[in-house]
Amino acid sequence: MKTETQCLHAGYTPKNGEPRVLPVVQSTTFTYDSTAEVARLFDLEETGFFYSRIGNPTVDAVEKKIAALEGGVGALCTSSGQAAVLLAALNLARCGDHIVSAASIYGGTHNLFDVTLRRFGIETTFVDQDASDEELARAFRPTTRLVYGETLANPALSVLDIERFARLAHARGLPLLVDNTFATPVLCRPMAFGADIVIHSTTKYMDGHAVQLGGAIVDSGNFDWRSGAFPEFTEPDPSYHGLVYADAFGRAAYIAKARVQLMRDMGCCQTAQGAFYTNLGLETLPLRMRRHCENAEAAARWLAAQDKVEWVRYPRLSGDPYAALAEKYLPDGASGVVSFSFKGGRDAGARFIDALRLISLETHVADIRTSVLHPASSTHRQLSDAQLAAAGITPGMVRLSVGLEAWDDILADLQRAMDAA
Ligand SMILES: *Cc1c(COP(=O)(O)O)cnc(C)c1O
């Protein structure tokens, strides 16, 4: 099936007389006839639902759909994108281990790696994803367990050279984990370029309507965990009577362990109702992504022609520093987010935002409604201009998340605000 068809049909195929639309199974638990059957489920000798923290039919259907879209062997839905990143990392790294991550990533992931995981004894080295292979080689340690990056980074809009990062990771016997939130599998499928694990905040374009937090981890099934560097996959798990994940689950060992061990113990699961909303979003994802890309490209071109604008970043714009990588990894468009900066600095940015009427000011991206954020007066307002510069943000920078409205209406609002800036 092609992507458009998978978005509608993968994961749930009703049998004769069953609901046409994915039903919400709003039950925390599932009943069985014998204690022997329940014992086999708990020993993972049989598959079946028994408690919705570990598996639920509605969530399962969405997991299968997202796995199909990314070309993986299995997926695990989580309560948020942050939970997906957390479980994806903890499934590989434990106290004393090390992560190599691109520096240009989502702020929440940066905090998780740089502050919270350090408290767990897991260290992260942040690298410039555009540095040479020789420079990047220096970041690796004998304790490194994974390499991490974002296809299209939020909010920097840098494009990861996935093939090169996969080569660097695989040469050292390590998996590459890629957060594909901004691109979605409609615009890029990182596993086709060598990524081993793909992560999503489904809160963004997958839901797309700003109604449901969620995350997903997808396992390509391509990484061989038996090298010896990942003892948790090859040595017995005492919490399952000595089960060995690599033997019991083969190619799906990574995603099975994430579910039956980490999700069991940490509990950050998606709900049936949440999965239902995520699924509604997924059904129209290809249509929406096409329109987000068209409107964002139009906005980027228009902004680039404005006298008051100092610079515009959109990777599909010719002249963008990531135009060549975007041509390879995002041939059909670079998603709906555009960033730009005013020559007039912080005050011009604030005046622009205050003059908008249709476009709303909010702490979100990837909504069907066009929205905008001025970091210097909101998320980063405590920083001086010098501190902003160190964070890669200019005082006049605006992040525009272009939605699905008619382009003429978006343009009219942008023009009104530009006149006021
Ligand atoms: C938003 C986001 C996250 C975190 O997702 P939540 O669903 O907000 O927890 C992770 N990665 C990227 C790239 C994001 O944009």
Side-chain angles (χ1 to χ4, degrees):
M1 285 192 278
K2 297 259 197 297
T3 303
E4 286 80 357
T5 316
Q6 286 176 326
C7 278
L8 292 163
H9 294 281
Y12 175 67
T13 311
K15 297 191 196 70
N16 191 39
E18 289 185 348
R20 178 53 260 182
V21 175
L22 176 66
V24 181
V25 180
Q26 191 69 36
S27 182
T28 57
T29 189
F30 303 83
T31 182
Y32 288 90
D33 290 339
S34 72
T35 53
E37 244 179 303
V38 172
R40 283 197 296 277
L41 287 169
F42 270 81
D43 284 347
L44 305 178
E45 286 166 6
E46 257 175 42
T47 54
F49 301 106
F50 51 98
Y51 195 61
S52 285
R53 177 172 3 102
I54 297 169
N56 167 283
T58 311
V59 180
D60 179 67
V62 176
E63 289 168 343
K64 289 196 164 83
K65 181 175 283 187
I66 294 173
L69 285 169
E70 287 289 6
V73 293
L76 176 66
C77 281
T78 57
S79 53
S80 68
Q82 283 297 112
V85 180
L86 174 68
L87 294 196
L90 290 186
N91 207 28
L92 297 171
R94 54 185 176 183
C95 185
D97 286 342
H98 175 251
I99 295 170
V100 171
S101 173
S104 173
I105 53 172
Y106 176 64
T109 304
H110 198 285
N111 279 337
L112 172 67
F113 288 174
D114 201 31
V115 180
T116 302
L117 286 191
R118 261 186 229 289
R119 292 196 191 118
F120 284 47
I122 299 166
E123 300 259 328
T124 297
T125 300
F126 294 98
V127 297
D128 173 359
Q129 65 189 47
D130 305 318
S132 67
D133 285 4
E134 294 69 39
E135 277 176 81
L136 291 173
R138 285 200 283 277
F140 289 86
R141 301 180 190 171
T143 53
T144 306
R145 288 293 170 267
L146 65 103
V147 180
Y148 194 94
E150 293 179 4
T151 310
L152 177 59
N154 175 12
L157 303 182
S158 40
V159 180
L160 186 71
D161 190 344
I162 300 171
E163 265 179 1
R164 183 165 83 103
F165 269 70
R167 191 166 7 92
L168 287 166
H170 295 162
R172 293 163 177 83
L174 300 172
L176 174 65
L177 278 62
V178 173
D179 182 331
N180 197 35
T181 296
F182 265 26
T184 81
V186 173
L187 300 177
C188 180
R189 292 167 30 125
M191 287 172 188
F193 299 103
D196 300 288
I197 308 295
V198 166
I199 294 158
H200 282 280
S201 165
T202 61
T203 316
K204 309 295 165 52
Y205 289 110
M206 282 191 172
D207 161 39
H209 299 70
V211 296
Q212 183 58 53
L213 279 155
I217 309 170
V218 193
D219 183 355
S220 70
N222 294 333
F223 195 83
D224 183 5
W225 305 104
R226 292 163 209 264
S227 66
F230 300 94
E232 289 189 15
F233 289 86
T234 52
E235 289 173 9
D237 180 351
S239 72
Y240 279 110
H241 307 309
L243 176 111
V244 175
Y245 292 100
D247 296 342
F249 297 102
R251 284 188 71 202
Y254 174 90
I255 204 69
K257 182 167 109 61
R259 179 189 305 279
V260 302
Q261 185 192 64
L262 290 183
M263 186 59 89
R264 177 197 61 186
D265 294 354
M266 300 197 167
C268 42
C269 57
Q270 182 54 284
T271 61
Q273 191 70 45
F276 177 82
Y277 287 131
T278 305
N279 186 56
L280 274 186
L282 282 168
E283 291 179 336
T284 56
L285 183 66
L287 280 173
R288 288 187 287 106
M289 291 316 290
R290 205 169 303 138
R291 176 72 169 226
H292 278 298
C293 290
E294 281 168 17
N295 278 351
E297 200 167 324
R301 285 187 200 292
W302 182 81
L303 287 164
Q306 303 305 307
D307 287 342
K308 292 178 181 173
V309 171
E310 188 180 9
W311 52 258
V312 179
R313 287 288 326 282
Y314 186 69
R316 291 297 287 157
L317 217 55
S318 60
D320 188 275
Y322 290 96
L325 284 172
E327 200 174 322
K328 173 171 178 178
Y329 292 106
L330 301 163
D332 298 328
S335 196
V337 184
V338 179
S339 64
F340 64 100
S341 193
F342 282 100
K343 290 174 187 160
R346 196 183 290 250
D347 291 347
R351 281 196 304 271
F352 172 83
I353 302 229
D354 290 339
L356 292 167
R357 285 190 211 152
L358 179 72
I359 300 172
S360 55
L361 172 61
E362 59 189 51
T363 312
H364 189 48
V365 284
D367 192 356
I368 47 175
R369 288 150 286 246
T370 301
S371 64
V372 75
L373 189 70
H374 181 219
S377 67
S378 60
T379 49
H380 296 68
R381 67 171 289 112
Q382 70 283 8
L383 304 191
S384 67
D385 287 2
Q387 286 170 319
L388 283 177
I393 294 163
T394 55
M397 176 178 151
V398 171
R399 187 182 70 183
L400 182 68
S401 174
V402 185
L404 310 185
E405 299 92 344
W407 165 243
D408 288 352
D409 292 327
I410 297 173
L411 176 62
D413 208 34
L414 290 175
Q415 183 69 67
R416 173 190 306 119
M418 189 61 66
D419 293 344

